[in-house]
Amino acid sequence: MLFESFQLEHNYLKNKIVMPPMTRSRAAKGEVPTALMAEYYAQRASAGLIITEGTPISTQGRGYAWTPGIYTQAQIEGWKKVTQAVHAKGGKIFVQLWHVGRVSHTSLQENGNSPVAPSAILAEGVKVFLAKNGQEASSGQGEMVQHSMPRSLSIPEIHQIIQDFVQAARNAIEAGFDGVELHGANGYLIEQFIDSQTNKRTDEYGGSLEGRLRFLKEVTTAVADAIGANKVGVRQAPLTTLMGAIDDTPEETYIAAAKILNEIGVAYIHIAEADWDNAPEMAVDFKAAYRKTFKGALIYSGKYTVQRAEEALQSGWADLIGFGRPFIANPDLPYRLQYGLPLNEPIREKFFGGGAEGYTDYPFAENKQL
C-alpha cells in the first residue's frame, strides 16, 4: 500500500510517502530561499508529498537563524525557484507556515522586542539556534541559546497574527505551492494556545477548552477562506512535550481540535508522534478516535519503518506516512524503501547551516536520478 498512489483532494500523489518538515537553516540574507534549496527539494521529489521546513509568516514568527520566510516579495521569488524545480520533477509540495511564538530570542525580533505567546511563561531549557557574530548560513557557525522571556499577546495582536497567516498563505499560492500546512505542533504558537500548561489566559482565547482552541479555529478558518480548505493541512503533536508545551488531557483536547478541523474541511491532519527514546506511545484507540472524527486524510510521522507504515495503512487509521530524518541523507528514499536498499547515514553536524555538504551531496542509489 505504501507505494501506491493517493488522491489528496486535487493533488495526485505518486505514493503514500511524505517528506515531513525538517529545519535545515540554509536561507540567504533576508531569509530568502536559495537555488541550493531548490536543488535539495527537487532531489527529493519522488516523495508523494513534500512539506517544506517550517517557514515563518513574519519577522515576529522567527525563532531560529537562517530559516526561510514567506512574508517578503524576495522570499516569494526564492520559493518560486523551489516549487518550479519540484514540479519539474513531477513532485507535489506544501509549505509549512510557522509562527514560533515564545520559542524565539530578542536578537531575532524587530528592535530587540520580546517574543510573544498566549501567556508570559518561560520554558526553561528550551533553546533556539542563533548565528554566531552575524554569520551567514553558508558558514554553519551557529549556537543554541535559551529562548527569551515572552510577553502575553493582546487581542488586537492576535487578530494581526491571524492576518499574517492569511497573507502568508496567499504568498504561498503566488509562489506556486500546491498547498500549505499550518504548524500547530511541537510547542510553537498555535500549540501554545491549545495546550493547558502554556495557555493561562482568562479571556476568549483561554480559560476553557473552547477558548484554547479558538486561535486554531480562527487561523484555520481564515486561511481556508483565503485559499480554499482543500489546499490546507494542519500539523498536530498531541503527546509530544517539545518546547515545554504540555496538555493535561491530550486525547480530549486534540479530538476536539480534530472535530473543528473536520468542520472546516481541511485536506489533512499531520500527526507528529513522539520519536525519541522512551517517548509516550500514541494508543491505537486514540488513533481510531482521530479516524472516527476526521474525514480528511491522516498523515503520521515518527520513526516509521516500511513494516510499521504498511501496518498503519492496512489498519485504516493512516492514509499517508512521513519519513523524516531518512530523507536528509537519502534523496531517493522511496526507491530505496521499495527495493530494500541500504540507507545512507546523515552527517548530524551538517543538519543546520552550511552549504551543499551534508545537504545536496548525498548519493542516489546506483546513481539513479529519479
Side-chain angles (χ1 to χ4, degrees):
M1 297 180 73
L2 184 63
F3 305 103
E4 296 174 357
S5 62
F6 184 81
Q7 193 70 35
L8 179 66
E9 296 289 344
H10 59 292
N11 293 297
Y12 172 82
L13 309 185
K14 64 187 79 173
N15 55 54
K16 297 177 182 176
I17 295 172
V18 174
M19 177 180 167
M22 290 178 287
T23 294
R24 302 304 309 277
S25 294
R26 293 308 203 278
K29 187 175 181 180
E31 291 69 56
V32 174
T34 65
L36 186 66
M37 288 173 57
E39 180 183 358
Y40 168 77
Y41 282 113
Q43 286 178 342
R44 289 152 180 82
S46 61
L49 175 65
I50 293 173
I51 306 168
T52 72
E53 60 212 278
T55 302
I57 61 170
S58 63
T59 302
Q60 185 194 71
R62 296 172 57 216
Y64 303 86
W66 313 319
T67 53
I70 195 161
Y71 50 89
T72 71
Q73 193 60 43
Q75 292 164 358
I76 294 170
E77 296 304 315
W79 279 122
K80 284 181 181 178
K81 297 175 184 176
V82 175
T83 60
Q84 289 166 3
V86 170
H87 290 152
K89 292 282 190 178
K92 296 292 184 180
I93 184 167
F94 278 40
V95 62
Q96 188 186 63
L97 301 183
W98 192 23
H99 192 304
V100 301
R102 70 180 182 179
V103 188
S104 187
H105 192 272
T106 53
S107 65
L108 294 170
Q109 299 290 310
E110 288 185 359
N111 304 316
N113 292 333
S114 297
V116 297
S119 303
I121 302 171
L122 185 75
E124 291 287 355
V126 170
K127 296 184 177 183
V128 295
F129 183 70
L130 301 182
K132 285 185 178 179
N133 303 317
Q135 295 276 354
E136 297 297 320
S138 58
S139 72
Q141 297 296 306
E143 59 185 338
M144 300 295 290
V145 303
Q146 167 70 40
H147 83 86
S148 300
M149 180 69 191
R151 64 175 180 82
S152 180
L153 285 160
S154 69
I155 289 179
E157 287 176 319
I158 292 171
H159 293 165
Q160 180 57 54
I161 291 173
I162 292 170
Q163 291 310 306
D164 290 342
F165 271 104
V166 168
Q167 187 58 54
R170 290 186 173 129
N171 293 348
I173 300 305
E174 180 183 343
F177 284 102
D178 299 297
V180 306
E181 177 177 285
L182 303 178
H183 197 343
N186 297 352
Y188 297 114
L189 185 64
I190 293 176
E191 188 174 76
Q192 289 164 28
F193 272 95
I194 293 172
D195 286 356
S196 57
Q197 293 192 27
T198 47
N199 185 345
K200 301 299 182 182
R201 301 177 72 96
T202 57
D203 60 16
E204 61 261 46
Y205 288 96
S208 65
L209 178 55
E210 180 182 7
R212 288 187 283 115
L213 293 175
R214 185 181 302 277
F215 184 67
L216 168 70
K217 181 177 182 179
E218 292 185 355
V219 168
T220 309
T221 299
V223 169
D225 287 347
I227 67 169
N230 64 339
K231 296 185 179 71
V232 180
V234 178
R235 197 170 205 205
Q236 299 184 324
L239 297 180
T240 69
T241 56
L242 292 171
M243 312 303 170
I246 301 170
D247 189 74
D248 294 324
T249 57
E251 186 162 350
E252 177 189 0
T253 296
Y254 282 89
I255 295 304
K259 183 178 180 181
I260 289 170
L261 298 177
N262 188 65
E263 291 169 352
I264 295 170
V266 299
Y268 69 78
I269 295 176
H270 183 184
I271 297 166
E273 294 187 72
D275 63 357
W276 59 91
D277 292 338
N278 301 314
E281 288 192 18
M282 191 172 178
V284 171
D285 286 350
F286 197 171
K287 294 174 180 177
Y290 257 108
R291 173 55 80 201
K292 182 178 179 181
T293 304
F294 184 71
K295 306 310 178 188
L298 289 169
I299 306 172
Y300 283 85
S301 298
K303 278 193 172 179
Y304 276 87
T305 62
V306 171
Q307 181 180 349
R308 283 192 64 222
E310 292 287 3
E311 290 170 355
L313 296 171
Q314 290 170 13
S315 73
W317 46 257
D319 298 297
L320 300 164
I321 301 294
F323 292 82
R325 292 183 187 90
F327 260 116
I328 290 176
N330 298 278
D332 54 350
L333 183 66
Y335 178 78
R336 290 175 184 263
L337 294 179
Q338 187 168 8
Y339 295 101
L341 301 179
L343 301 182
N344 300 321
E345 287 296 321
I347 306 169
R348 296 188 65 85
E349 56 267 29
K350 300 296 183 182
F351 279 2
F352 306 111
E357 186 181 359
Y359 189 59
T360 56
D361 62 347
Y362 289 106
F364 285 72
E366 303 172 352
N367 296 315
K368 183 178 177 61
Q369 297 284 332
L370 297 183

